[in-house]
Amino acid sequence: MPHQEIPTGELRAFFERFQSLRAASDVEGLAAMYPGNVMIAGANGAQVVSSADLQRAIPKRKQLLESIGCQDTALVGFEETALTDRYALVRAQFRWHFKPANGQPATVTLPSAFVVDRGGDSPHIVLYLNEQDVVSVLRERGVLAPVS
């Protein structure tokens, strides 16, 4: 597959689209932003996730977020660094607004890192790293109940 340079503005637009698709839980649109398999990493380690597994997880993620009062999420930080001519590291921050049924409203900003393949016709996320343990942060902020 020949390499095509993706201008910086286009990669930011790619992540704005990523955020919009996540907010809408657009299973097919989100799956198209990844190759057939993607590495997902976080506090509990890393694993390769297939497109089929990712497509099954997206509606579950939406259901979980709605159940804890997530109102919306916004891309509030974006920094791109070229790793090679083909790959870029993107550090993004997403701000989540929660209004739990039995709690105080909360705003949580979570950083994520992505390695994006800029080769081919369009970029694809090949690595998605949650930089913090999302569940722990949500518990600390009172969005999730503490572990008893």
Side-chain angles (χ1 to χ4, degrees):
M1 185 170 2
H3 169 70
Q4 287 183 285
E5 179 115 2
I6 303 290
T8 300
E10 284 188 36
L11 206 49
R12 181 173 180 95
F14 173 83
F15 275 89
E16 288 170 350
R17 182 168 182 265
F18 173 77
Q19 178 52 43
S20 295
L21 293 170
R22 279 188 3 172
S25 292
D26 181 330
V27 174
E28 290 179 13
L30 279 169
M33 301 187 95
Y34 297 90
N37 293 300
V38 62
M39 176 75 68
I40 307 284
N44 297 319
Q47 64 181 2
V48 175
V49 177
S50 71
S51 180
D53 288 342
L54 185 65
Q55 289 182 44
R56 283 189 290 274
I58 291 167
K60 292 177 184 177
R61 177 185 180 275
K62 179 179 180 163
Q63 185 178 26
L64 171 66
L65 289 172
E66 286 176 349
S67 75
I68 59 175
C70 186
Q71 303 296 302
D72 64 15
T73 309
L75 175 66
V76 296
F78 179 89
E79 181 182 319
E80 173 187 347
T81 304
L83 297 173
T84 67
D85 287 345
R86 181 171 180 155
Y87 295 97
L89 171 66
V90 172
R91 301 200 61 158
Q93 291 185 336
F94 297 94
R95 184 164 296 143
W96 301 11
H97 297 278
F98 293 92
K99 189 172 181 185
N102 297 323
Q104 294 294 319
T107 299
V108 177
T109 301
L110 294 167
S112 296
F114 302 84
V115 174
V116 179
D117 181 350
R118 300 177 295 173
D121 294 334
S122 62
H124 288 96
I125 298 167
V126 295
L127 171 94
Y128 180 4
L129 169 66
N130 286 307
E131 294 185 28
Q132 295 178 312
D133 181 353
V134 175
V135 172
S136 294
V137 171
L138 295 177
R139 282 198 173 106
E140 289 168 9
R141 296 299 310 270
V143 175
L144 285 175
V147 177
S148 4

